[in-house]
Amino acid sequence: MQENLKTNFKFAGIIFLNIVIVLAEIYYGVISNSITLIVDALHNFSDIISVIISFVAVIFSKKTPTISRTFGYIRAEMMATFVNALILIGVMIYVLLEAIDSLILNHTEVNGTIMIFVATIALIANGISAYLLLTLRRNKEDINIQSAYLHFLADSLLSLGVILGGITIYLFDVYLIDKILGIFFALYIIYSTFPLLKQSFLSLMDIEHKIDIQELEKKILEIDGVRSLHDIHIIEPSPQHSFFYGHLVLKDELSINEIDILIEKIETELKQFNINHSVIQPESPKNIDQPLIKEKLCQQNNLYSTKKPG
């Protein structure tokens, strides 16, 4: 209970800090004619949405499974990451187009002093937000918190860039630097966010995992009593969950107790691959020629297929 209260307090603090940043950067961005401050403000606004979604995902991911929702909400973190990344890329594409338009058509003067002042405040607030998120990360594979943390880390670097741009404008009156920085920042954010979008999308679609299937097969076939594996499926619905489904061909006829012991050995081996949930179906040697990955799925999803020798 106390831990949940601390978590809620940290999330609330991050949201409050960023609301202040967004309002300040939009207001002073308009006053100073700084497209870079506007870019940073929109990025910070997307981060507010990101934190809210991440907070909701953390709450839902802790919910226990029920009869009607047997998996619980284990995909909540991946869904949050996907939505966060999608929103951020969409916002940055819009900002990029506006920055290019401003670079070509609008050559108004920019107030470098205001840029320096506001960006310094944003840098401090983003640094605090990034640190608070780092304390909320449960492990290095916590992609939901990691994505939000990277947003704020990137924000800190962007704020530093805005400060340097403001200094350049203040000292040399090079107003185009504001537009150029705006374009560069938007491109950088799109580039750095796309891998998170791709990773979360593939996870939600159950079409990618980090487990070496052939190495896993080799280890299981080394267990005495196992003849072959076929029709296996591996999914990773969240950074904390890896599920294995497979059919197991036995060398000999075994009793129920012997099969239980064999499956326990296989589950122990699966844990070495960070698989924490498995469904194994023992079968007779009549299924020895079945492919490791079902061929119909290979045709539909362009997966690979290998057949076991007899």
Side-chain angles (χ1 to χ4, degrees):
M1 181 68 179
Q2 188 175 3
E3 184 65 28
N4 289 338
L5 193 61
K6 286 182 180 179
T7 299
N8 295 348
F9 179 76
K10 288 178 180 179
F11 271 113
I14 293 168
I15 292 169
F16 174 76
L17 279 174
N18 281 271
I19 289 174
V20 172
I21 293 173
V22 169
L23 293 176
E25 288 189 321
I26 288 178
Y27 176 74
Y28 287 106
V30 172
I31 289 178
S32 64
N33 294 316
S34 172
I35 189 69
T36 308
L37 278 179
I38 299 296
V39 169
D40 206 29
L42 290 174
H43 188 209
N44 276 290
F45 179 71
S46 72
D47 284 342
I48 295 174
I49 298 174
S50 170
V51 170
I52 293 172
I53 294 173
S54 297
F55 180 46
V56 172
V58 168
I59 293 173
F60 273 84
S61 65
K62 292 178 180 179
K63 288 182 177 290
T64 55
T66 64
I67 291 176
S68 60
R69 295 179 176 86
T70 55
F71 276 104
Y73 294 87
I74 57 177
R75 291 191 188 274
E77 293 181 71
M78 280 298 182
M79 181 60 74
T81 302
F82 177 75
V83 173
N84 289 345
L86 193 62
I87 290 173
L88 185 56
I89 288 176
V91 169
M92 286 302 107
I93 289 174
Y94 171 77
V95 166
L96 179 62
L97 295 174
E98 288 296 311
I100 292 173
D101 181 69
S102 177
L103 179 64
I104 297 172
L105 301 176
N106 188 355
H107 301 289
T108 56
E109 293 186 1
V110 180
N111 191 314
T113 304
I114 292 179
M115 284 178 64
I116 296 169
F117 174 72
V118 177
T120 300
I121 295 174
L123 175 63
I124 296 170
N126 282 321
I128 294 172
S129 298
Y131 171 75
L132 289 175
L133 279 168
L134 197 60
T135 63
L136 289 169
R137 191 172 61 173
R138 290 164 291 183
N139 53 63
K140 291 182 179 180
E141 298 298 319
D142 194 344
I143 189 172
N144 174 40
I145 298 297
Q146 178 72 5
S147 65
Y149 164 72
L150 289 174
H151 278 196
F152 286 107
L153 189 61
D155 278 351
S156 299
L157 295 175
L158 294 182
S159 297
L160 182 60
V162 176
I163 293 171
L164 295 176
I167 292 173
T168 302
I169 291 171
Y170 178 78
L171 295 177
F172 306 108
D173 293 332
V174 183
Y175 302 120
L176 281 179
I177 191 68
D178 176 67
K179 279 71 176 179
I180 293 171
L181 282 174
I183 293 171
F184 174 77
F185 288 168
L187 288 172
Y188 168 76
I189 293 166
I190 292 171
Y191 172 78
S192 61
T193 305
F194 185 77
L196 285 174
L197 180 68
K198 179 182 176 181
Q199 181 183 356
S200 57
F201 172 77
L202 293 176
S203 175
L204 291 171
M205 295 296 291
D206 290 333
I207 55 178
E208 187 174 72
H209 55 78
K210 299 184 291 293
I211 295 170
D212 187 336
I213 289 181
Q214 293 175 325
E215 180 64 23
L216 182 148
E217 180 192 23
K218 177 184 174 183
K219 292 292 184 182
I220 292 179
L221 291 179
E222 291 174 355
I223 298 174
D224 187 39
V226 178
R227 188 167 181 180
S228 73
L229 283 174
H230 70 91
D231 194 13
I232 72 168
H233 304 277
I234 296 176
I235 62 173
E236 294 181 346
S238 83
Q240 289 79 40
H241 298 87
S242 292
F243 293 172
F244 172 88
Y245 304 87
H247 295 237
L248 180 71
V249 177
L250 306 177
K251 287 183 178 179
D252 305 298
E253 291 188 7
L254 303 175
S255 67
I256 295 297
N257 287 337
E258 289 173 326
I259 291 174
D260 283 342
I261 293 171
L262 182 61
I263 289 177
E264 285 178 5
K265 291 180 180 178
I266 294 171
E267 289 176 339
T268 299
E269 197 63 52
L270 291 175
K271 287 179 181 177
Q272 304 303 313
F273 293 84
N274 296 318
I275 293 173
N276 46 31
H277 178 80
S278 61
V279 177
I280 301 171
Q281 179 176 319
E283 293 181 345
S284 66
K286 71 177 183 179
N287 295 304
I288 190 66
D289 291 326
Q290 296 296 316
L292 184 63
I293 308 295
K294 186 175 282 187
E295 291 179 349
K296 281 191 175 180
L297 280 177
C298 295
Q299 294 167 6
Q300 294 170 2
N301 298 329
N302 295 322
L303 298 176
Y304 68 88
S305 171
T306 60
K307 287 195 174 186
K308 289 301 301 167

